[in-house]
Amino acid sequence: MTEVVATNQTILVVGGGISGMTAALEAAETGKQVVLVEKRPFVGGRVTQLYKYFPKLCFPTCGLEINQRRAKMNPNLTILTMAEVTNLEGEAGNYTATVKISPRYVNENCTGCGDCEKAVEAEFDNEFNYGLAGLSKRKGAYLPHKMAHPMRYVIDPAIIGTADADKAKEACKVGAVDLDMQEEEIKFNAGAVIWATGWQPYDANKIQPYGYDRFANVITNVEFERMADPQGPTAGKIVRPSDGKEAKNVAFIQCAGSRDQNHLLHCSRICCMATLKQTHFVQEAYGDEGKSTIYYIDIRAIDRFEEFYMKVKENPNVTFTKSKVASIVENRENQSPILHGVDTEGYNRYANEHDLVVLAVGMEPSVDKGSFPVDIVVNEEGFIEPAPENGGVFAAGCSSDALDVNRAAQQATGAALRAVQVVNRVAGMEG
Amino acid sequence: MSDLNTAMAAKYRANFLKEVEAVVEEGETVKMCMQCGVCAGSCPLGKHWAHPPQEIFMMIRAGKRDEVLKSDSMWMCTSCYNCIVRCPRGVQITHVMHGLAYYAKRLGVVPEGQPTQQVSQLFWDNLMKGGRVNELKLGLSIYFKDGFGDGIKNAMANQKLGMNMMKAGRMSPMEFLSGHTIKDNAGFQKIIKKAQEIEDAKFDGAAK
Amino acid sequence: MAEEKKFVGFICTGCGIGERLDAGQLETTAKRDGKMQDVKQHEMLCNAEGVKMIQDEIGGGATHIMIAACSRRAKVEAFNFTEVAMTRANLREGVIWVRPDTDENRETTQEMADDYIRMACAEARFMTKPTPSGEQELNKHILVVGGGVTGMTAALEASAAGYPVTIVEKSGALGGNAANWYKSIPSRAPYAEPQDTGIEGMIELVNNNDRITVHLNSTLASTDGAPGRFKATIAEESGATTEAEFGAIVQATGYKPYDPSELTQYHYKDSPDVVTNWEFEALAKAGGPIKRPSDGKEVKAVAFVQNVGQTSKDSGKLPYHSGAGDLIAIKQAMYCKALNGADCDATILFNNLRTPGAAGEDFYRSAQEKMITFSKGDVSEVVPGGELEVKFKDLILNEDTAMKADLVVLDVGMMPNSGPDPYAQLAFEEAEEGSEEKETLRQALEVAPPSILNLKYRQGTDLPHLRHGFNDSHFICFPYETRRTGIYAAGPVRRPMDMRQAQDDAAGAAMKAIQAAENAGKGMAAHPRAGDLSYPSFRKEGCTQCKRCTVECPFGAINEDEQGYPVYNEARCRRCGTCMGACPVRVISFENYSIDTVGQQLKNVDMPDEFSEKPRILVLACENDAYPALDQAGMSGIEINPWARVIPVRCLGSVSLSWITDSLNSGYDGIVLMGCQKGDDYQCHFVRGSAMAHERMSKVGDTLQSLNLEPERVEVYEVAITDVERAPKLINDMAETVEKIGMSPFKF
């Protein structure tokens, strides 16, 4: 049974992505007791699936390493993975959280040696690579990624009850595989709650004219990020999923689902910068032969990121076309997507063939007001408003708006203070 | 310039967008356009437009009143509604295009010989006679709209279609002689007259 | 009486270590060469039983423990023994996982493991458990510099958490720029209308708050000390001064608007009816309909020209964008509609409309609903006159055109109100007298702004600039980091931002300030080595007062006394060790990280003779990036040459040249140094560490020459955490180089 020591001076952080981790660490490093609840088997969230950050083109795992070391070293922080908050009762200064913990089938004895992975045979699409999952498989016993924290394997529930599961158990020399592990439900107290459940990429299938579901060579920006990563499904090669050939002429379609009343009403803020960054991947892979075309409505680089935009604009291999692409058809002969639309700067109709299309899909908030455990104020777009009515629940990062990493970390640090204010008030009343 | 055209131009002076908002069907949605061009790109007849919808919207904002109203672009719309479905900002493009065409017609500034406009007029005149469309006469009037020689050519070219329609009972040669009307044609004419009055009053009011 | 030391080693035989290596041999090595008084083996040291075994030994008097198991990055929670000095030998990721499991490799793999045991034991022998210095003080009082929206918010937020705050404001009133605004961009859904700024209410809250003290008409005459014990002299305009002590500082000195006077095409200086967006606020705030400055006529048509003097590389313009300019234009266009009637035309001439997020896009749509006209256009000229003419290229209609307006509003950017860059001051001091460089620097300093903090720091008076005068140091993962510990920038002095963002930012900075104050009270380091209790100290008798440490510290932590000896300020120190790397006479050390803890590791490696065909390659790897990359190589089964001996370092900046010369003198055949990316887009968490190391190592050539060794025996690389394949390859390449050029003759 998982035990959590918590009081109404404890801060509960829901979601262990960059925002949740930042909020949790800042509070814990200020001496507060923090419990962080993360749905996935590891912390770090979606930034673990990014290859590089804009505008420095540095690696997210670099900051992740620091944050994970901070987490490992800090005695004030308890992390629960594969866990979800199913209920929250009470008010600021006195909440009771109910948390459901799914069985990992691997206990804390796990050393991360990988013997179980070698022993099992069943393979699954690797969800870490989003829709490119089919290009790379993972075993039924797996470590989600090489820097996963906790560094502890996971056994896919699908192999429980099969011979594979027994193989995993037999292979483990340290008794870490526990096939009888059951789902648990635990309750504990918290004085304040930081809600940092982040975002999900907008479902590209809903943008029917782009044919994401029909054309192999139409992928999303989060998938392209995996593709560029040397640890990813194509070992870092920029290729066409249809035939594995080099993708040297890449189209980026901005606002794929954003700024659109038929999809997401809001501007997702990060996609322009993400695309500007991803043109670098094309350039790095193919030099002057790598061509990128960005189809956009407005380029929103914003404040200091504009410098990065200016740099990309100077690159003769990158073309900017002001246009929301109308539709994509596939050239049957070579599976190349052909983009149809109108460049609205001066009215030029185009039918452009590219090797690969990257849809810059937007951020959909992972906040479901309908099933939210307490009453909160959510705006039309689904983000949590900074409303006093929310009591001791504070949104951090992309639960509050579409934010880039810098702004998410900034906002999460502020959210940590608001939680600290609540628990300090509790402490004051009690002490 | 027609009186109405002069009056409307004077009333809204430089602000054509306000004029469109006031008098064109769904004209109030024009201001929401953000120039993404998905309407132009999704239009199946797009390449026939001298000015695609988003450009017309920009021209409206830029006050290019004459250029817009005298354009034949909005007459290209076939009401497929692709643009409305795709527009991220809810601009009622199809309706606005028809609204602009109608407004231009009303102001008497439609380009001479604009075929869609001619066909619409023939359809309307045909419909107004008996409260229903006389397919045979409509077809013939369209064929012959550009003169007798063209009419014969058009009729010959579409002979098979006409025969099939007759066989299927969708068109009767007898219609050429008299053609039947709806039961209460007189009542229908009254309704139309009243509607016309209301519409005229609207423009009279708008021009003041 | 010195505490009695007891050294105990623990060897884990789990995860294949026992199968691949001769554990008995390892135990012998730890005892014989490593001088461990006792060595225990366990088949799974990290499980409850293994951990208990270690705890029992600690209970039994062990003061120094050596754990030979997996990487120091693994099982950190299990092996968390803060009560003793601890080292770890990486036998799993570092040895058995990077070596093939074959008979012919068994010997070299065992040698590798034996060496790592010797190294970890040596490290343990030369380190002590870090304890706080006693310098630390808990002072919860937060100093906020600047009484605008950001400063007031920081003060209110910190006070709401129970912390006393003092605001020092230069002007005679709180409120800053925003006090002059008519309204602000909406901060709550539905993001449709401008809202009251709320400044007056805020000022009242500040004035009525018992925990907040306000000094108006005041500046900081001097700021000395360190987190937990900052001493500030607050000088009033009247001449009166107040001395006060603080735990941490938030600098919220805001921005000033860009002056478009030099951009003559806008005729800003020629026409009173061409105003900046900031000036336009006053016209709206004056009450009633907005009137033209020239003749008092109510405006009926206003043109907003966006992105003036911004996002340009041209000299005199800003290379960045204010970010909020388009939202401000929308807000102000709404003023026109609200104050001058719906008939008032408001046209926004933009190129890329920057209204991001949910709030931004909602506000944009709301403006369109209000019939505000948006035109994608490049403005070429504003022609002054009774009726102004704005000439522009309509980018959609692709034509040069013009529009008439009664008033033209220029969207000018925000420039940070930061103090002078301390490194510009230092560069001036160090430049050669009479040189051209010195003259250029002097001219730059002449136009530099006056100091804000007046820090009594060796490295200058103010927060260092990152780019364009903004005061942060890591603008992605750790937005609040600055290069002066315990002093956090917030609001537009950190990054251009609007009021809503500035308020969020103020809360975050207040959080960091509170944290810095609390941790200074415990003697704990601030980010990124949060919680670290070790701190640098120096042996005065050996010090030559060369000042390298005081100059090279990336965080300006070290001052100099009158004689030029370094004065460490523990609470200002980030524990990177750059000072240690800088010291030519090896007198600087940390309790658990010193010239000896590393130097003895490399000396304790068994050095086979010149004819053994067993070279030794020393690898010094940044513990945050290169070392994890090597760990991941192990996890991926990528081979690393058996001659390599890897030592993680806190930062490549901490690498002492003495380690390099010692290694070369004691027979190492090759040395590979792995640090982070340096330069403008530096990835070094200690900002300058990697750059300093590269600079210092460029001088290794002399040493090599004096020893008559080939220059290719020492390589310095920038290695990223993702270089899982490249990092091992760099080591293997060195092995090939050694094979080519031959073994070092310096084997003893």
Side-chain angles (χ1 to χ4, degrees):
Chain A
M1 186 76 188
T2 307
E3 277 180 41
V4 170
V5 181
T7 68
N8 54 9
Q9 290 181 41
T10 300
I11 295 169
L12 166 64
V13 178
V14 186
I18 187 78
S19 304
M21 272 195 109
T22 300
L25 288 165
E26 296 302 344
E29 288 178 1
T30 308
K32 303 300 164 196
Q33 292 297 319
V34 180
V35 179
L36 186 147
V37 172
E38 166 57 43
K39 190 163 78 173
R40 296 212 268 184
F42 58 97
V43 295
R46 296 196 184 275
V47 302
T48 59
Q49 289 157 279
L50 296 178
Y51 172 43
K52 285 186 179 182
Y53 276 147
F54 55 76
K56 285 167 71 174
L57 300 174
C58 54
F59 303 97
T61 36
C62 166
L64 185 73
E65 172 73 11
I66 291 262
N67 281 336
Q68 293 189 165
R69 201 186 65 210
R70 289 165 77 188
K72 289 174 200 172
M73 307 285 287
N74 200 304
N76 299 329
L77 175 60
T78 305
I79 294 177
L80 303 175
T81 49
M82 301 186 76
E84 284 179 80
V85 172
T86 55
N87 197 22
L88 195 61
E89 284 172 353
E91 57 194 6
N94 187 20
Y95 287 106
T96 304
T98 309
V99 173
K100 182 189 86 178
I101 306 175
S102 301
R104 187 183 193 107
Y105 304 108
V106 177
N107 64 30
E108 65 282 358
N109 279 353
C110 177
T111 64
C113 73
D115 286 348
C116 55
E117 183 179 8
K118 288 180 200 118
V120 304
E121 277 160 27
E123 286 192 330
F124 298 86
D125 285 353
N126 190 352
E127 59 278 78
F128 197 70
N129 297 322
Y130 295 104
L132 300 180
L135 296 179
S136 68
K137 302 286 180 183
R138 63 154 173 82
K139 290 283 196 71
Y142 66 103
L143 193 62
H145 66 102
K146 291 221 168 59
M147 281 186 49
H149 175 72
M151 174 77 61
R152 195 188 298 176
Y153 273 70
V154 187
I155 290 183
D156 197 307
I159 70 163
I160 297 299
T162 71
D164 245 3
D166 297 328
K167 283 183 194 161
K169 190 174 168 66
E170 274 164 42
C172 182
K173 298 185 192 80
V174 294
V177 174
D178 176 2
L179 300 175
D180 299 325
M181 207 178 264
Q182 298 294 318
E183 180 181 298
E184 295 182 63
E185 191 180 88
I186 60 169
K187 284 190 182 204
F188 55 85
N189 283 354
V193 180
I194 291 172
W195 203 267
T197 49
W199 59 285
Q200 58 217 21
Y202 185 69
D203 179 4
N205 281 331
K206 292 182 182 167
I207 317 168
Q208 203 269 341
Y210 292 162
Y212 174 74
D213 55 344
R214 306 187 294 284
F215 309 139
N217 295 325
V218 176
I219 65 171
T220 65
N221 49 359
V222 288
E223 289 162 359
F224 192 64
E225 202 71 23
R226 296 306 309 135
M227 191 184 260
D229 189 341
Q231 308 281 316
T234 59
K237 295 200 172 58
I238 309 293
V239 292
R240 293 151 47 100
S242 70
D243 51 18
K245 286 187 187 154
E246 295 178 333
K248 292 182 171 176
N249 177 7
V250 182
F252 294 90
I253 299 184
Q254 299 309 109
C255 298
S258 300
R259 299 182 71 186
D260 191 333
Q261 66 172 27
N262 305 308
H263 301 284
L264 301 171
L265 200 51
H266 60 272
C267 158
S268 297
R269 190 190 309 257
I270 62 157
C271 340
C272 284
M273 280 302 287
T275 290
L276 294 172
K277 169 188 71 177
Q278 292 182 340
T279 65
H280 277 258
F281 301 166
V282 180
Q283 194 78 45
E284 278 166 25
Y286 302 117
D288 279 346
E289 282 180 32
K291 307 286 179 196
S292 299
T293 308
I294 302 176
Y295 298 88
Y296 73 98
I297 304 174
D298 291 285
I299 295 290
R300 292 180 170 170
I302 310 181
D303 60 61
R304 292 190 296 181
F305 294 161
E306 295 280 348
E307 258 189 306
F308 190 77
Y309 172 35
M310 289 196 289
K311 236 184 267 172
V312 176
K313 266 204 292 194
E314 282 170 9
N315 183 343
N317 298 313
V318 180
T319 308
F320 290 83
T321 303
K322 175 158 165 80
S323 173
K324 186 175 175 78
V325 174
S327 60
I328 299 176
V329 293
E330 191 177 58
N331 181 340
R332 296 250 169 96
E333 282 172 18
N334 58 8
Q335 278 79 53
S336 287
I338 302 170
L339 275 56
H340 289 273
V342 164
D343 173 358
T344 65
E345 284 195 344
Y347 182 27
N348 300 302
R349 199 164 281 280
Y350 60 79
N352 295 343
E353 186 166 317
H354 294 273
D355 296 334
L356 181 71
V357 172
V358 178
L359 304 178
V361 295
M363 287 181 148
E364 193 168 7
S366 303
V367 175
D368 179 11
K369 185 168 164 59
S371 66
F372 207 85
V374 286
D375 250 359
I376 43 157
V377 182
V378 168
N379 62 29
E380 200 181 350
E381 288 83 359
F383 297 104
I384 299 175
E385 283 282 302
E389 298 93 307
N390 295 344
V393 179
F394 306 96
C398 293
S399 295
S400 74
D401 200 356
L403 299 172
D404 55 58
V405 169
N406 176 289
R407 284 173 176 81
Q410 171 201 343
Q411 206 270 347
T413 309
L417 179 62
R418 269 110 195 195
V420 166
Q421 289 166 354
V422 174
V423 299
N424 278 4
R425 273 203 299 278
V426 173
M429 282 183 284
E430 293 184 349
Chain B
M1 252 192 192
S2 71
D3 289 347
L4 182 61
N5 191 17
T6 316
M8 292 302 279
K11 178 174 177 185
Y12 287 97
R13 288 190 322 274
N15 205 325
F16 186 37
L17 179 61
K18 275 185 197 155
E19 184 177 347
V20 169
E21 174 139 351
V23 297
V24 171
E25 183 186 354
E26 302 278 5
E28 68 278 11
T29 62
V30 169
K31 64 196 174 201
M32 300 309 291
C33 173
M34 58 175 175
Q35 293 299 320
C36 72
V38 78
C39 49
S42 353
C43 179
L45 289 179
K47 63 181 176 193
H48 300 291
W49 296 57
H51 304 295
Q54 100 283 342
E55 194 178 41
I56 289 180
F57 299 149
M58 201 63 225
M59 289 162 75
I60 292 173
R61 288 183 197 173
K64 295 181 183 287
R65 188 173 185 277
D66 273 10
E67 269 184 70
V68 170
L69 293 173
K70 290 177 181 169
S71 157
D72 87 335
S73 289
M74 57 273 194
W75 295 95
M76 297 296 153
C77 175
T78 60
S79 310
C80 76
Y81 285 84
N82 253 354
C83 52
I84 289 195
V85 168
R86 295 297 306 288
C87 179
R89 284 302 187 79
V91 180
Q92 299 297 296
I93 303 152
T94 309
H95 298 286
V96 175
M97 290 305 125
H98 291 311
L100 281 170
Y102 171 66
Y103 186 47
K105 164 85 180 160
R106 186 95 211 178
L107 298 180
V109 295
V110 182
E112 195 112 344
Q114 206 295 324
T116 327
Q117 189 272 140
Q118 285 180 325
V119 171
S120 303
Q121 189 65 54
L122 291 170
F123 182 92
W124 176 258
D125 294 345
N126 180 301
L127 175 68
M128 284 306 111
K129 281 205 179 111
R132 61 178 287 274
V133 171
N134 182 322
E135 260 102 9
L136 189 62
K137 282 185 180 167
L138 177 63
L140 290 173
S141 61
I142 292 171
Y143 296 165
F144 287 88
K145 76 179 171 61
D146 297 326
F148 188 75
D150 281 345
I152 296 293
K153 264 190 243 163
N154 286 331
M156 294 307 285
N158 291 295
Q159 198 180 12
K160 204 175 165 191
L161 176 70
M163 296 307 282
N164 283 343
M165 282 178 76
M166 278 189 250
K167 267 189 222 159
R170 303 302 303 169
M171 193 168 78
S172 160
M174 298 310 288
E175 295 281 333
F176 187 70
L177 298 173
S178 58
H180 67 286
T181 65
I182 55 168
K183 275 183 195 157
D184 182 11
N185 193 19
F188 170 72
Q189 297 298 341
K190 269 196 206 162
I191 292 172
I192 295 299
K193 189 159 175 277
K194 185 69 195 168
Q196 195 80 49
E197 279 169 23
I198 295 171
E199 191 71 3
D200 288 347
K202 198 174 96 185
F203 277 94
D204 283 349
K208 273 171 198 156
Chain C
M1 190 186 88
E3 197 186 335
E4 198 173 324
K5 290 181 182 172
K6 184 178 176 191
F7 297 89
V8 183
F10 300 90
I11 296 169
C12 179
T13 57
C15 291
I17 294 172
E19 288 93 70
R20 295 281 306 279
L21 301 168
D22 179 347
Q25 162 80 30
L26 295 174
E27 190 175 324
T28 308
T29 303
K31 280 184 180 153
R32 188 192 59 207
D33 300 347
K35 315 242 172 14
M36 291 292 113
Q37 284 143 293
D38 196 2
V39 176
K40 308 251 177 217
Q41 288 185 34
H42 193 275
E43 60 186 14
M44 190 195 167
L45 199 57
C46 61
N47 73 10
E49 192 189 86
V51 169
K52 186 169 182 304
M53 183 176 92
I54 300 173
Q55 273 163 346
D56 287 348
E57 287 298 322
I58 294 171
T63 57
H64 292 66
I65 62 172
M66 189 282 300
I67 294 174
C70 44
S71 163
R72 49 162 36 199
R73 295 172 57 255
K75 290 287 171 188
V76 176
E77 298 94 328
F79 300 139
N80 186 15
F81 306 106
T82 50
E83 59 276 51
V84 293
M86 178 179 77
T87 63
R88 292 182 62 176
N90 183 358
L91 303 185
R92 190 177 72 158
E93 288 87 341
V95 180
I96 61 167
W97 283 2
V98 293
R99 297 302 308 147
D101 185 10
T102 57
D103 280 343
E104 64 266 32
N105 286 301
R106 191 164 277 273
E107 181 186 313
T108 51
T109 306
Q110 179 73 33
E111 285 170 2
M112 221 174 169
D114 280 327
D115 270 346
Y116 280 119
I117 296 270
R118 291 185 190 100
M119 290 155 77
C121 291
E123 186 186 5
R125 288 201 308 278
F126 285 88
M127 71 155 58
T128 43
K129 176 179 84 83
T131 44
S133 68
E135 174 203 304
Q136 63 279 355
E137 285 168 37
L138 176 61
N139 183 339
K140 292 185 152 203
H141 205 141
I142 308 295
L143 170 63
V144 174
V145 189
V149 167
T150 312
M152 287 196 292
T153 307
L156 290 167
E157 295 282 356
S159 73
Y163 291 75
V165 180
T166 293
I167 297 178
V168 174
E169 165 57 40
K170 194 168 72 175
S171 76
L174 292 171
N177 285 316
N180 305 317
W181 299 353
Y182 175 48
K183 285 179 187 252
S184 65
I185 298 160
S187 63
R188 287 290 309 276
Y191 308 105
E193 305 286 342
Q195 68 181 24
D196 287 337
T197 59
I199 298 291
E200 282 164 24
M202 229 178 187
I203 294 174
E204 203 177 305
L205 283 176
V206 168
N207 286 334
N208 295 338
N209 191 313
D210 292 345
R211 289 198 187 107
I212 303 177
T213 311
V214 180
H215 291 266
L216 297 175
N217 296 311
S218 299
T219 53
L220 290 170
S222 115
T223 308
D224 203 354
R229 52 174 183 83
F230 282 119
K231 284 186 180 56
T233 307
I234 302 164
E236 270 182 59
E237 220 171 34
S238 62
T241 59
T242 312
E243 304 273 332
E245 297 194 1
F246 300 99
I249 301 172
V250 173
Q251 182 177 331
T253 42
Y255 68 95
K256 54 187 161 298
Y258 171 83
D259 177 359
S261 300
E262 299 299 313
L263 311 175
T264 51
Q265 69 270 35
Y266 300 115
H267 293 279
Y268 170 69
K269 278 169 99 175
D270 309 328
S271 171
D273 298 330
V274 179
V275 299
T276 69
N277 44 356
W278 312 101
E279 290 162 350
F280 184 73
E281 288 293 333
L283 297 182
K285 202 178 167 128
I290 297 161
K291 298 180 191 72
R292 298 183 2 150
S294 63
D295 56 8
K297 174 185 165 256
E298 282 182 26
V299 299
K300 280 289 161 208
V302 182
F304 292 87
V305 179
Q306 295 308 102
N307 205 17
V308 169
Q310 308 183 54
T311 58
S312 171
K313 282 186 173 169
D314 298 349
S315 102
K317 295 187 187 174
L318 305 179
Y320 56 90
H321 184 263
S322 73
D326 296 331
L327 293 166
I328 291 167
I330 287 171
K331 173 188 77 167
Q332 295 180 337
M334 287 182 181
Y335 295 170
C336 298
K337 296 283 181 190
L339 297 172
N340 292 37
D343 277 353
C344 180
D345 290 327
T347 305
I348 297 177
L349 297 159
F350 68 98
N351 191 336
N352 285 302
L353 198 79
R354 298 159 178 94
T355 54
E361 199 64 10
D362 281 359
F363 202 40
Y364 174 26
R365 281 197 315 278
S366 176
Q368 288 179 306
E369 304 264 8
K370 291 180 196 293
M371 294 282 273
I372 288 159
T373 306
F374 291 84
S375 280
K376 184 166 168 119
D378 259 352
V379 174
S380 53
E381 193 185 354
V382 176
V383 185
E387 197 177 30
L388 298 142
E389 190 185 28
V390 182
K391 292 185 176 172
F392 67 101
K393 182 180 182 189
D394 186 319
L395 295 167
I396 298 297
L397 300 179
N398 196 24
E399 62 182 17
D400 291 317
T401 182
M403 64 169 288
K404 302 279 186 194
D406 303 324
L407 186 68
V408 173
V409 183
L410 305 179
D411 160 39
V412 298
M414 304 163 114
M415 295 161 71
N417 268 335
S418 45
D421 187 0
Y423 294 112
Q425 300 169 344
L426 291 177
F428 174 72
E429 281 164 29
E430 278 162 30
E432 198 185 320
E433 206 61 55
S435 68
E436 204 176 306
E437 186 197 3
K438 185 124 185 160
E439 181 54 23
T440 316
L441 290 166
R442 190 188 60 76
Q443 282 169 11
L445 282 181
E446 268 177 12
V447 295
S451 171
I452 287 167
L453 299 172
N454 278 304
L455 291 170
K456 300 297 156 204
Y457 283 19
R458 164 69 175 87
Q459 289 188 23
T461 56
D462 286 87
L463 283 178
H465 300 183
L466 177 58
R467 236 177 260 186
H468 319 311
F470 294 101
N471 285 138
D472 53 352
S473 67
H474 273 97
F475 64 70
I476 304 177
C477 300
F478 309 110
Y480 290 105
E481 288 308 295
T482 66
R483 290 178 63 182
R484 294 295 177 264
T485 311
I487 307 176
Y488 299 97
V493 74
R494 188 173 80 72
R495 164 161 68 66
M497 56 179 88
D498 62 34
M499 193 166 138
R500 180 193 180 192
Q501 287 182 62
Q503 290 188 276
D504 266 353
D505 202 41
M511 177 73 198
K512 293 301 292 185
I514 286 170
Q515 187 184 68
E518 290 287 344
N519 286 326
K522 295 177 196 138
M524 286 177 168
H527 187 89
R529 296 187 61 84
D532 190 350
L533 288 170
S534 71
Y535 56 91
S537 58
F538 80 117
R539 204 160 34 79
K540 194 169 182 178
E541 51 275 30
C543 175
T544 60
Q545 299 125 294
C546 75
K547 301 180 185 173
R548 280 196 205 160
C549 59
T550 65
V551 170
E552 292 184 10
C553 171
F555 303 100
I558 315 168
N559 279 8
E560 284 156 18
D561 67 13
E562 306 76 41
Q563 295 160 288
Y565 285 111
V567 178
Y568 291 92
N569 292 277
E570 168 200 313
R572 263 152 60 178
C573 170
R574 305 286 179 91
R575 283 70 166 171
C576 61
T578 301
C579 52
M580 191 166 103
C583 182
V585 287
R586 316 178 189 195
V587 296
I588 303 171
S589 62
F590 296 77
E591 288 154 309
N592 55 356
Y593 185 61
S594 64
I595 295 294
D596 278 344
T597 61
V598 176
Q600 291 296 330
Q601 284 187 68
L602 58 93
K603 280 181 193 154
N604 274 273
V605 166
D606 181 56
M607 189 60 66
D609 67 30
E610 199 182 339
F611 312 103
S612 64
E613 294 183 359
K614 285 179 176 174
R616 287 292 175 256
I617 295 164
L618 175 68
V619 181
L620 296 171
C622 159
E623 67 177 4
N624 186 62
D625 289 74
Y627 200 72
L630 292 170
D631 267 3
Q632 291 174 75
M635 293 170 76
S636 312
I638 296 169
E639 271 187 46
I640 294 179
N641 186 281
W643 318 138
R645 301 293 179 260
V646 184
I647 300 177
V649 292
R650 287 187 181 182
C651 175
L652 210 60
S654 69
V655 170
S656 168
L657 262 181
S658 70
W659 298 339
I660 309 300
T661 44
D662 284 359
S663 307
L664 293 170
N665 278 317
S666 58
Y668 279 89
D669 303 283
I671 301 174
V672 181
L673 290 95
M674 297 181 174
C676 301
Q677 184 173 310
K678 57 184 173 39
D680 280 350
D681 283 331
Y682 62 82
Q683 287 161 30
C684 176
H685 286 274
F686 298 109
V687 186
R688 292 278 301 152
S690 180
M692 295 307 314
H694 277 78
E695 221 166 278
R696 292 173 198 151
M697 293 311 149
S698 64
K699 292 160 196 152
V700 168
D702 299 345
T703 313
L704 286 159
Q705 214 165 15
S706 71
L707 294 172
N708 213 9
L709 285 170
E710 298 77 357
E712 54 267 49
R713 287 194 193 271
V714 181
E715 296 284 0
V716 192
Y717 295 107
E718 290 170 308
V719 171
I721 191 163
T722 48
D723 284 336
V724 175
E725 286 173 25
R726 179 172 166 261
K729 188 177 176 300
L730 295 173
I731 298 174
N732 299 341
D733 285 352
M734 178 58 82
E736 276 179 34
T737 303
V738 169
E739 200 168 315
K740 246 180 260 157
I741 60 180
M743 303 273 281
S744 160
F746 288 92
K747 311 269 180 184
F748 299 109

